[in-house]
Every structure is written in C-alpha cells, then in structure tokens.
Amino acid sequence: MARGPYLGMATASPPSVKNTSKSYPALSNVLNPPQSAPAAAATPAASGRPVKMFKARVAPHVDQTHSDHVPYSCRVAGKLLSAEESSRLYELDRTHWLHPQGDLGAPVGTVPQLIFAGGSGATLTDVDGREYVDGMASLWNVNVGYGRAELADAAAGQMKTLAFSSAYGGFGTAPAIELAARLAELAPGELEVTYFASGGAEANDTAYKIARLYWKLRGEPERVNIVSRTRDYHGLTYGATSATGLPNFWKGFEPLAPGFLHAPSPDPYRFSGEGSPGAAYARALEDVVLKAGARTVAAVVAEPVQGAGGVIVPPADYFPLVREVCDRYGLMLIADEVITGFGRTGRWFALEHWNVQADLMIFAKGVTSGYLPLSGVMLTRSVHDTLKSVKGPFAHGFTYSGHPTACAVGLRNLQILEDEGLVEQAADRGAYLQNRLQELRSHEIVGDVRGLGLIAGIELVRDRETKELFDASRDAARRVWLAALEDGVIVRPLPGDVLAMSPPFVISEQQIDRIVMVLDKAISSVAKELR
C-alpha cells in the first residue's frame, strides 16, 4: 500500500506517479471580505508573510458577442450602491452569512470578498461598479452567460402558472416531464430515464443509493462499495464528501461514510512509468477493485475531467479501459458530468470524447446555466427496469425534485444552447483558449498547461524539470489569483497550485486575450516574489 499525493489514507499503489511535495494545500478560493473602511496597514497572513490589502481594479471596456452577433453590453458601470449601503451590506455579510468554503480563520482584509450586483455575457460588475471578466463562469456553470432575459422570462412565466408542485408518487408537471424527455434525446447511448434533484451533491448521493439498490434487487446485496479516485470532487453532502478524493474536505467531518474507495487520479503530467499512462491508471483502479473483492463493488464513479482536483484531463485510452474493467467485473460506471455536461468540453457530454457509455450519469450546473438550482441522475433503460422490480415505493426523494420552475428554465437553457450553437462555440473558443494559454509555458514556474474545450488548468511548480511543487505556505496559485483579480480577471486557485478557468461559452476571443494577458503579468510578478 502507498499514500497518494492527495490523500492521507491508504490507496492502491499508483502507477509510478511522482509525489514531489509533502502535501497539497487546501482550497483557497475563499470569499472573506476586507473591511469597508480602509485599513491602515496590511495584516500579516497566518503563514507569517505580509499580504497586501486587496484592491480590485476596473477592467477596461471589452466587447462581446453571441454566436448570432447580438452584442452584450460590457461596460464599466457607475457605482451601483452608495458607500453607506455597500458598507451596510459588507457588515451584514460578515455578521450573518456563513459562506460555502469561506476562510473562517483569515485575518480581516487579507482576502477579498466581492459583492456582485450585475452581470452581462462573460462579465460581472460589483456594487462599486468595477467590472471583471469571469474566467470561471461563476462556479463552472453559467454556460450561456449572464443577463439572459429569456431565462428570467421562462422562470416568471412558469411561476405565474404554477411555481411549485410536489413530484412525489405519481404527481408531475409539464416542465419536468418535457425536460426528462428532452434529456433522453440529448444524452449518449441508452440513458433514457431521469431522477431530478437540486444540486450535484444530491445527485451523487442519489446515484450511489441507486447503485446499491440495483445490486440488492439483482440478488447481490454484498455489492456496496463505490470506487472513486483521488482528486475527484463529487460534492459535500455526507456521501459525496466520502466519495470525494480531496482530504481537505474530510478534515473535521470524520468519520466518513463506509464503503468508499479511491483509485489514483489519471494525471498524465505526474506519470513517470513506462508504457501507456491510461493503461497504468486503469490497472491501478482495477487493483483497488480486486483488493476490495470485485463482488463487493457496486460501481465506479468518475469525473470525465477532474475539476476542483486540478483540471485533470485523462489519457485518451483511460476511460475505454475503465469501461472494460467495469464490464469484466460487472460494475456500474457512474459518470459525474456535473461540470463537464451540456457543452463545457465542446461536446454535449464529456464521455462522448472517448465513445464510452455510462450506466448512470450525474448532471447539474450547466443544465440551467446556474439560473436556478437543478440536477439529476440519468439511468439506462435496463437499470430502470431493474428498479421497477422493487415491488413498492422508490424510498428516496427530495422536496424539490422535478421543481417545475427550475425545469422550465432548464428547457429554455437547452434551447439557447441549441439555437445559438453554443456547444460548437465552446469547442471553437475552447481551442482558442487552450492555444493562447500554451504561451504561458514561457514562465519557469509554469509546469503544465492542460484542458479540454472551455475548461483549462495551469499548474505552477517550483522546479519545472523535477515537477517539484512549491511549499504550501508559499501560496503560489493564490498569489496569482489575487493579482489577476486586482486586474479585473477571475480565475480560481485549486489544490496543488493549479489555476482553473471555465468561462461562459459566450466569451469573446478578445476577452480570452485579456485573461491570458493578465495571467502573464500576474505569473511574472509572483515568480519574482517567490524567488
């Protein structure tokens, strides 16, 4: 047994993956505000090094267009709230709102909090009128861009007719029925039936329960284990946290749920063995299955492209080989397409890049482009037929499953993606983004640049030749993030000093140019600080 670079737990020995650091740092994409009144001096960070107070700059005017050339207004706005109102909101925020992944221990004023008041296309505007190119589509999800009146109209129209009605038992609404049917048309292969939830973590927990129920109904109740991978992120409900392969999300919440195992992340950059990296990583996953006992494993769950774990694009042969492992031992394959689904990688769903069929597919985020919470699990017809043998109620449910307003927005969002050719545009703009980002390899601290479609990552290293990471206390990716934010560009620092990008599909080439220009400047500045 060995310990993986991301895990403080025993895993199957990874296939010659270099582990050149003590540990990866915790996520630092926190939203902890500066005081509204100016501070007299910078406050030292917990690491002891001085950190300058955050002050965002206004981004210059950048034009942006839809694929059909309808222009977005992308301007530097005037101040949207008075100084008094802004100050009041910041104080109420600090006092009453516990932010998701907020840094509760950060000294006040050392990390930014921004209160956003507007958005248009690929830009966000804060309450002080400062404009930002959003290189993350908020949280990987505002695919069709901000300010879509047609989505607001879809929500308002449904709310006026029937805002909500329970979907328990045999009750239903037209938007949920129509969306389930539309998803069956769009999804690859035999995925034809949808269970709706509200967020990706709920959908993950649902998939794990379905997998275990499936095997019980098939007369194999011992199949309960779920094999995930290190650096996978599946959400932060209890089951999803246990499946997630990022230990910084486990600390303090132990013990984790039993029955979750982790194979190595299929990271080509960190592979140092011989032969095919994809084959080596697939064998490592098979080793985890065999060690547990293949007849105890219900399913393998995997992100097609690992997102929050570092934007890891697997080798081309990896998923076909993983599918073979699942078939060999009779395991279900669960594709977690929460980030990658609905066009993010330039295909409707990312597993289509490798012509691989999942038994269950989890979706969220892009189904509504974040305009309302909606997620789900898609099942093949054969899985659904097995579930129907339960001879009683399906004992699982959420209040807001099949929420009619969310489903109405989902339907309209899918129509926008199709009518404007935005999946194809994501492929086109994604190729442009990936090409431009390669220029950043000129910096000595840039070890790898990777991505697929409109999702990309830049990994920073202390030594490019050995791939040694910076010590976590140096906060390399966080420093670049803050410098870029000051220049009006939003990216996201991830564990292992990776900078992630996942912009709206409507981003223009000029805005991509700006992201690359700002990152070039920020990386150059931070490299000098880290010498």
Side-chain angles (χ1 to χ4, degrees):
M1 302 296 286
R3 295 189 183 275
Y6 259 80
L7 292 177
M9 68 168 197
T11 67
S13 298
S16 302
V17 180
K18 287 186 178 179
N19 178 10
T20 53
S21 68
K22 293 182 292 185
S23 64
Y24 284 97
L27 284 171
S28 57
N29 61 314
V30 294
L31 298 173
N32 202 18
Q35 296 286 358
S36 53
T43 307
S47 63
R49 63 174 177 80
V51 179
K52 62 183 175 182
M53 301 299 287
F54 173 79
K55 180 181 178 182
R57 297 173 186 161
V58 179
H61 172 83
V62 182
D63 288 326
Q64 171 182 317
T65 60
H66 283 307
S67 59
D68 59 358
H69 305 296
V70 177
Y72 276 113
S73 172
C74 201
R75 60 190 173 83
V76 176
K79 191 172 179 67
L80 301 183
L81 295 178
S82 67
E84 293 76 13
E85 180 63 9
S86 293
S87 178
R88 186 184 75 86
L89 285 175
Y90 279 117
E91 183 58 33
L92 289 174
D93 190 338
R94 285 190 294 272
T95 305
H96 297 293
W97 190 359
L98 178 60
H99 282 268
Q101 297 186 35
D103 191 339
L104 300 179
V108 173
T110 61
V111 293
Q113 179 191 7
L114 298 173
I115 299 178
F116 292 112
S120 182
T123 64
L124 287 168
T125 304
D126 68 18
V127 292
D128 295 314
R130 296 175 300 212
E131 200 169 78
Y132 305 81
V133 177
D134 184 7
M136 279 303 302
S138 193
L139 204 59
W140 324 85
N141 61 337
V142 186
N143 293 355
V144 299
Y146 299 98
R148 289 283 190 167
E150 54 266 65
L151 295 182
D153 292 342
Q158 182 60 40
M159 285 183 173
K160 290 174 184 177
T161 304
L162 180 64
F164 174 74
S165 178
S166 168
Y168 272 45
F171 290 5
T173 61
I177 294 167
E178 295 284 2
L179 181 57
R182 187 72 190 98
L183 290 170
E185 294 173 350
L186 289 173
E190 301 174 5
L191 294 163
E192 298 178 1
V193 180
T194 296
Y195 176 90
F196 288 112
S198 296
E202 279 186 6
N204 266 273
D205 277 18
T206 298
Y208 311 150
K209 291 175 74 174
I210 288 174
R212 288 174 173 176
L213 176 61
Y214 172 87
W215 287 113
K216 285 178 174 59
L217 294 172
R218 300 256 314 201
E220 298 186 59
E222 67 278 5
R223 286 188 181 266
V224 296
N225 287 318
I226 308 292
V227 176
S228 177
R229 289 98 48 87
T230 62
R231 299 172 78 170
D232 261 7
Y233 179 88
H234 297 294
L236 295 179
T237 54
Y238 188 47
T241 297
S242 303
T244 289
L246 295 162
N248 48 301
F249 291 115
W250 303 343
K251 187 177 180 180
F253 300 109
E254 306 93 337
L256 299 178
F260 291 91
L261 311 172
H262 296 83
S265 164
D267 183 353
Y269 178 63
R270 295 276 164 188
F271 179 76
S272 61
E274 296 181 358
S276 162
Y281 284 121
R283 283 194 300 271
L285 185 145
E286 184 175 16
D287 288 344
V288 173
V289 171
L290 293 175
K291 181 175 178 57
R295 297 190 69 83
T296 73
V297 177
V300 171
V301 61
E303 293 179 281
V305 176
Q306 293 184 304
V311 189
I312 306 300
V313 181
D317 57 346
Y318 175 74
F319 273 109
L321 292 170
V322 167
R323 179 72 260 185
E324 288 181 13
V325 170
C326 291
D327 293 343
R328 188 175 304 129
Y329 301 106
L331 317 178
M332 301 179 80
L333 177 59
I334 305 172
D336 183 344
E337 296 255 15
V338 168
I339 288 176
T340 53
F342 304 101
R344 171 58 56 191
T345 67
R347 302 279 183 93
W348 275 96
F349 299 97
L351 276 190
E352 293 179 293
H353 286 282
W354 305 290
N355 195 30
V356 170
Q357 171 71 55
D359 302 290
L360 301 177
M361 184 176 75
I362 300 163
F363 67 86
K365 295 188 185 294
V367 68
T368 63
S369 287
Y371 277 64
L372 279 178
L374 184 64
S375 69
V377 182
M378 295 198 71
L379 299 68
T380 62
R381 179 63 59 188
S382 61
V383 172
H384 185 244
D385 287 344
T386 297
L387 295 189
K388 288 193 292 186
S389 69
V390 74
K391 293 183 171 55
F394 176 52
H396 177 72
F398 302 112
T399 297
Y400 297 116
S401 177
H403 194 294
T405 303
C407 289
V409 171
L411 279 166
R412 188 68 182 92
N413 179 69
L414 296 182
Q415 184 181 344
I416 290 171
L417 288 170
E418 288 189 288
D419 290 351
E420 298 183 12
L422 292 183
V423 176
E424 295 78 10
Q425 180 162 308
D428 179 66
R429 297 285 161 82
Y432 186 81
L433 173 66
Q434 304 297 338
N435 184 59
R436 286 300 320 274
L437 289 175
Q438 294 299 323
E439 299 170 18
L440 299 178
R441 289 182 181 273
S442 62
H443 296 280
E444 286 297 318
I445 68 169
V446 172
D448 193 29
V449 178
R450 52 190 179 246
L452 185 64
L454 276 177
I455 182 171
I458 301 169
E459 183 165 340
L460 306 179
V461 294
R462 183 177 178 274
D463 187 310
R464 188 151 62 180
E465 187 170 326
T466 65
K467 303 181 183 179
E468 178 188 0
L469 289 168
F470 287 101
D471 187 275
S473 66
R474 305 303 301 276
D475 284 338
R478 181 180 179 276
R479 290 177 187 238
V480 175
W481 165 59
L482 288 173
L485 198 57
E486 282 193 274
D487 275 337
V489 166
I490 298 173
V491 294
R492 186 183 180 194
L494 298 175
D497 280 329
V498 175
L499 294 159
M501 281 145 280
S502 174
F505 300 174
V506 296
I507 192 168
S508 69
E509 290 185 355
Q510 291 79 14
Q511 287 173 315
I512 291 173
D513 291 342
R514 172 154 181 78
I515 289 173
V516 175
M517 177 187 71
V518 167
L519 286 176
D520 180 60
K521 173 186 172 186
I523 292 170
S524 178
S525 176
V526 169
K528 293 176 183 176
E529 294 175 5
L530 294 173
R531 284 176 184 165

